[in-house]
Amino acid sequence: MNKKMILLAGGMVGAAVFFGGCGTDPHRIDTSGNRGLTTVDDINFKDWQMTASKAINSLLASGVLSRQDGRKTILMISTVKNSTSQHINTKILTDKMRQAVLRSGKALTTTAISGSGAEDKATRQVRKLEDDDMFNQATVQKSGTAIAPDMSLAGEIIQQKTTLGRKSESYFFFHLTLTDLKTGLAVWEDNFEVAKQAKKPVFGW
Amino acid sequence: MKKMMLTGVAIVGLLFVGCQDTVNTVGNRESSMQREKVDTSRVSTDSFINRRLKIERVDKKIKPDGLMLVQVTAKNVRTGFFSEIGSWFMGDNPYKITYRFSWLDKDGMEVNTAASTWIPMTVIPGDTVRLQAVSPNSRCRDFILSLREDSE
C-alpha cells in the first residue's frame, strides 16, 4: 500500500513538473508583429491595427479631406457604435484614425466636441473663468472663438457568429462614414471585414 | 515491379497536384491605364520569398493633394508540377506572407505613421496581388515595402 502511495505521489509530482514546464514566462511582444493572441470571439489588437491601417489608407486615398478654399478641414469624431456581443472600446480605432488625419496635414481634429461629449473638457471649462477674479481677464479665452467642425467620422461594428459542429466562426464588419456637416451627405464610406475561425478539440476545451 | 512503382509515383504526383489550389486569371489585352513605374530597389525581400513571390512591377502616383499612392504588383510563381509538389511538402500552399510599408521624407528620415503595421495576406499559387498604400503626408518622398513569410 505504502509503495503504491509513493508511486502515485511520485507520478503526480512528475506530472506537475511536466505540465509546469509547458508554460512560458511573461514576455513582451512586438506590437507591430503577428505574435499576438488570436481568439474567435474578440477583436484582437492585430485586428484593430489592420482595420485602422486599411481605413486610413482608404480615407487618405479618397482625397475628400482636401478643401478648395485652402483652409484645413476640421474633423470631429462622432460615435462608432458597438453592435458586437463583446465589450470593446472603439477609441482604439478612432484614435488611430484621428492621429493619421492630423499627421496628413489635410485636416485638423477637434477635441472640443465628439459623439460622447468633449474629448477634452478644458475648452469649455476655461471659458467659465470669465467670472473668476483670480485670472487676468485679458488672458481668458473668450466665448465664440472655438471653431466648429466641418466633417464627422462615425461608424458601426457588427459581429455575426456561426457554429457548425466543433467549428466556430466570427465575422466582424466595420462600417465607417465621413459626413459633410454642412450638407449632411456622406463624402466617404468604406467597409472593413475580419473573419476568424477555430475548431474545438474532441477532448478538452 | 518497376511498372507498379512508376504507377504509384504517378498516382502520388496526381494526388498532390489535385490538392494544389491555383488561380487562373484573364484580363483585357489592350491596356488603357497609364502608370508611372518606379525602381524596385525600394522593395526588400528575403531569399526564400524571392523564389515564391515575384515582384512584377511597382507603380506610384502623386495625387492632386500631394499624397503619394503606391502599388506593388506581386505574383505567386509556385506553379507547375514540381513547384506544386515542392510547395505542398514545404507547407507554403497557400502561401502566407506579411508586409509593411515604411515612408521616408526628402532627408531619408522615416516618417512616423499611425497605420504602419505588418499586414498578413494569403497568396494562392498563380494569383497576382496588388499591395497598395498611401503616404501619411505630402512630405514623404520614398517608400520601402518589406515582405516576409508569415510563419507566426
Side-chain angles (χ1 to χ4, degrees), chain B residues 1-130:
Chain B
M1 185 65 184
K2 208 175 176 183
K3 244 183 187 176
M4 276 181 72
M5 246 176 78
L6 278 170
T7 313
V9 168
I11 288 170
V12 169
L14 283 172
L15 186 75
F16 282 116
V17 172
C19 293
Q20 179 83 339
D21 192 10
T22 58
V23 165
N24 303 286
T25 56
V26 65
N28 56 323
R29 189 189 291 176
E30 298 286 328
S31 179
S32 57
M33 55 194 164
Q34 293 176 338
R35 299 184 292 190
E36 188 187 344
K37 199 172 177 180
V38 296
D39 182 13
T40 53
S41 63
R42 292 185 185 90
V43 180
S44 55
T45 62
D46 63 38
S47 60
F48 285 101
I49 213 168
N50 264 336
R51 290 198 293 272
R52 294 163 172 82
L53 200 69
K54 186 186 169 199
I55 304 297
E56 295 202 313
R57 60 180 296 146
V58 182
D59 301 292
K60 74 168 182 183
K61 176 186 166 186
I62 304 293
K63 292 168 64 263
D65 60 4
L67 298 182
M68 190 198 297
L69 178 66
V70 296
Q71 177 176 275
V72 177
T73 308
K75 186 176 185 179
N76 185 335
V77 290
R78 297 282 281 182
T79 53
F81 183 77
F82 292 107
S83 291
E84 284 167 18
I85 290 177
S87 72
W88 183 262
F89 279 111
M90 294 289 284
D92 56 10
N93 177 27
Y95 194 40
K96 287 179 181 168
I97 60 160
T98 181
Y99 69 93
R100 183 176 66 178
F101 280 94
S102 306
W103 297 91
L104 308 171
D105 67 10
K106 65 179 174 57
D107 303 312
M109 295 291 160
E110 185 167 352
V111 177
N112 195 9
T113 161
S116 184
T117 187
W118 287 95
I119 297 180
M121 181 184 238
T122 302
V123 194
I124 298 163
D127 197 14
T128 301
V129 289
R130 289 167 189 86

Side-chain angles (χ1 to χ4, degrees), chain A residues 30-35 46 49-50 52-54 56-58 60-63 66 95-97 99-100 103-106, chain B residues 63 65-67 69 97-100 112-120 132-139 148 150 152:
Chain A
D30 179 8
T31 51
S32 71
N34 300 333
R35 287 190 184 274
K46 195 69 203 171
Q49 288 180 347
M50 282 162 53
S53 178
K54 288 173 186 173
I56 291 163
N57 272 327
S58 171
L60 295 181
S62 71
S66 299
D95 276 9
K96 277 185 173 289
M97 290 192 72
Q99 282 166 32
R103 286 174 188 174
S104 75
K106 304 296 168 198
Chain B
K63 292 168 64 263
D65 60 4
L67 298 182
L69 178 66
I97 60 160
T98 181
Y99 69 93
R100 183 176 66 178
N112 195 9
T113 161
S116 184
T117 187
W118 287 95
I119 297 180
Q132 279 193 350
V134 183
S135 65
N137 59 48
S138 50
R139 295 187 301 279
R148 62 183 167 93
D150 188 9
E152 292 165 0

